[in-house]
Amino acid sequence: MTMQQPMARSVFDAMTVTLRDGRAVVLREAEPDDAPAVLDFFQLAMPDITPFVLSCPEEMDFDEPTERAILKKFKDKPGTLMMLVLEGESVVGMLGCEARAHRTRIAHIGEVGMFVAKTYWESGLGTAMMEALIAWADASPELGLLQLQVYRNNERAIRLYRNCGFVEAGTIPARTRFADGSTRDDVTMYRRVDGSYSDQSKPGSFTHDLGNGVVMRPIRYTDSEALFSVFDRNRERFRPWFRWEQTIRSVGDVRAGVATWIERKTLEDITFVLEESGQVIGLVFICGHSVQDHQIELGYWLDAGYEGRRLVTRACRALIRHSFESHGINRIDLCAAVENSRSRAVAQRLGMTQEAVLKQWQRFPDGRYVDVVRYRLLREDWQAEEAT
């Protein structure tokens, strides 16, 4: 019988981060010799962070040998990290991630906890710390899921975690009880390391039945493999019209894009899959969103075998209606290569007005310059057409 080799521990590389207010801090892994500085940090920060942490102050009142032992454990254990934030020699923030390596079935879970000195709240430090953790976890083969708990009334922290891609799994009412008898609701949040936390709705998402067994629904991370398959077999058709065609070379390229689209908290990059009997056949999406101008731009592509059924037209019409009625959009644009007759026909069927031909508007990787025609649909024109 061969003994299993211990898994190599992922390294966290030190980095310098400049915050929104211009202050520069260093993020690095904690060493056992940092114990005195860590104890100084807790003594300074405890009055401000006590209302937001699970432990009572006396439960965190460690002596130096105890703190040194804790830091050594984090330093030695796979899937585990204690990150320090330093301004000069002073610790101003800490972030811990500890894998449950003692239980095989949940050894892939990293439990996350974070502390930031009050003088650094709203500085962007929390986001920098979480992004650094996520990058480290992504390179840690033993981790598959990051999980944390936060009080429901800690709106600042919940907003931070959501912006970093964590989603809520549920709330336990009155889980925490304080000495005065008051209680707090605890929220459990998670983020899968591979990005598949994203299979949840975002602002602007909806589902629409296009008829004849075709459904338009929000994109999911798990669609990545099917999307790549559809795109790859249509590559030659797409090449003349999509100059980014060459950037999609693997399922991983699609996964990265899908994770970005789903993580966006605005209408920009909101993307819908067209699906027939569980088979992905195309996409309809918003590829630009001006919040100030109340303006969006539409995009789409469809598997060749499903052309001629006006599925894209019906899907775009549903997205147009939703955008005008639910999101206060005033103008919707659609751009197509002058020679792309199929795409231009979609704009015409949608009742859009041709506004301009933009000569040599796009340059493709092969050196071609492509003329683009821009179409528009204004809210007032749509409302007039709806009224007839």
Side-chain angles (χ1 to χ4, degrees):
M1 182 174 67
T2 303
M3 295 294 291
Q4 184 176 4
Q5 295 296 317
M7 186 173 294
R9 185 174 179 278
S10 298
V11 176
F12 180 79
D13 294 323
M15 65 185 73
T16 300
V17 175
T18 301
L19 305 177
R20 288 195 290 261
D21 59 10
R23 287 181 289 183
V25 294
V26 174
L27 278 58
R28 66 165 173 82
E29 185 170 6
E31 303 287 346
D33 288 345
D34 291 315
V38 169
L39 294 176
D40 288 344
F41 166 72
F42 277 123
Q43 184 175 6
L44 176 67
M46 189 55 65
D48 297 316
I49 66 177
T50 292
F52 305 110
V53 298
L54 293 177
S55 300
C56 299
E58 57 270 21
E59 294 170 340
M60 302 177 70
D61 187 17
F62 305 133
D63 57 19
E64 185 175 325
T66 302
E67 185 62 36
R68 183 179 292 272
I70 293 172
L71 296 179
K72 185 177 188 305
K73 180 188 73 170
F74 273 82
K75 181 72 175 175
D76 296 339
K77 186 177 175 183
T80 296
L81 171 71
M82 180 62 72
M83 180 197 308
L84 297 185
V85 182
L86 295 106
E87 183 182 32
E89 299 298 319
S90 300
V91 176
V92 297
M94 298 180 63
L95 188 153
C97 176
E98 184 172 10
R100 296 182 172 185
H102 61 292
R103 294 182 180 177
T104 303
R105 294 180 178 178
I106 55 174
H108 64 289
I109 298 175
E111 292 281 354
V112 179
M114 183 167 65
F115 309 96
V116 176
K118 187 174 183 179
T119 53
Y120 282 83
W121 293 0
E122 305 293 351
S123 70
L125 176 57
T127 299
M129 294 167 69
M130 291 302 302
E131 289 179 348
L133 170 69
I134 290 167
W136 170 83
D138 186 53
S140 301
E142 59 274 7
L143 289 178
L145 180 78
L146 299 177
Q147 180 176 300
L148 57 85
Q149 288 182 308
V150 58
Y151 292 146
R152 170 60 72 186
N153 67 336
N154 192 351
E155 297 178 356
R156 179 187 295 106
I158 291 175
R159 183 173 65 251
L160 164 65
Y161 300 142
R162 283 175 177 163
N163 289 345
C164 290
F166 285 77
V167 295
E168 295 183 20
T171 300
I172 304 178
R175 180 174 181 267
T176 304
R177 185 180 300 277
F178 286 74
D180 61 2
S182 63
T183 61
R184 296 288 187 278
D185 296 349
D186 280 4
V187 180
T188 299
M189 305 183 73
Y190 75 95
R191 184 194 196 281
R192 297 193 185 280
V193 171
D194 66 1
S196 58
Y197 62 86
S198 301
D199 288 355
Q200 299 201 9
S201 62
K202 59 176 282 187
S205 294
F206 66 97
T207 300
H208 184 73
D209 187 349
L210 298 176
N212 300 320
V214 180
V215 174
M216 171 184 175
R217 61 160 174 81
I219 196 170
R220 296 193 290 258
Y221 187 85
T222 47
D223 294 322
S224 300
E225 189 168 345
L227 284 168
F228 178 73
S229 178
V230 176
F231 188 91
D232 202 39
R233 69 171 173 261
N234 286 271
R235 187 178 296 275
E236 293 302 319
R237 290 178 54 243
F238 294 159
R239 183 169 293 132
W241 318 124
F242 301 144
R243 57 181 172 177
W244 41 264
E245 169 268 329
Q246 294 184 12
T247 67
I248 309 299
R249 290 300 176 189
S250 68
V251 176
D253 294 332
V254 179
R255 286 179 180 145
V258 173
T260 300
W261 299 338
I262 297 174
E263 196 170 349
R264 288 280 175 89
K265 301 300 187 294
T266 67
L267 289 179
E268 185 176 4
D269 277 347
I270 188 170
T271 304
F272 296 88
V273 161
L274 303 186
E275 182 180 73
E276 182 176 61
S277 302
Q279 181 76 30
V280 173
I281 61 175
L283 291 181
V284 174
F285 47 91
I286 294 174
C287 51
H289 176 211
S290 171
V291 176
Q292 181 177 2
D293 299 322
H294 295 185
Q295 178 181 336
I296 61 173
E297 182 177 339
L298 301 183
Y300 43 78
W301 54 263
L302 187 69
D303 192 355
Y306 296 87
E307 288 184 333
R309 296 166 56 181
R310 301 199 173 180
L311 296 175
V312 167
T313 302
R314 280 182 273 163
C316 285
R317 186 168 286 122
L319 184 51
I320 286 169
R321 178 183 296 276
H322 184 75
S323 300
F324 280 142
E325 292 184 350
S326 300
H327 296 284
I329 296 300
N330 182 64
R331 175 185 169 117
I332 298 177
D333 285 7
L334 191 157
C335 292
V338 168
E339 296 179 357
N340 190 347
S341 58
R342 282 189 174 275
S343 191
R344 295 184 64 178
V346 170
Q348 292 160 7
R349 286 195 293 270
L350 291 171
M352 304 184 84
T353 300
Q354 180 175 323
E355 191 169 65
V357 173
L358 309 173
K359 301 295 291 184
Q360 299 186 15
W361 183 252
Q362 292 181 332
R363 185 180 185 275
F364 278 62
D366 61 5
R368 289 180 298 125
Y369 287 93
V370 174
D371 298 343
V372 170
V373 57
R374 179 180 292 275
Y375 295 87
R376 71 159 190 269
L377 181 62
L378 302 180
R379 170 190 287 272
E380 59 189 36
D381 297 331
W382 173 77
Q383 289 175 330
E385 182 178 342
E386 290 286 296
T388 59

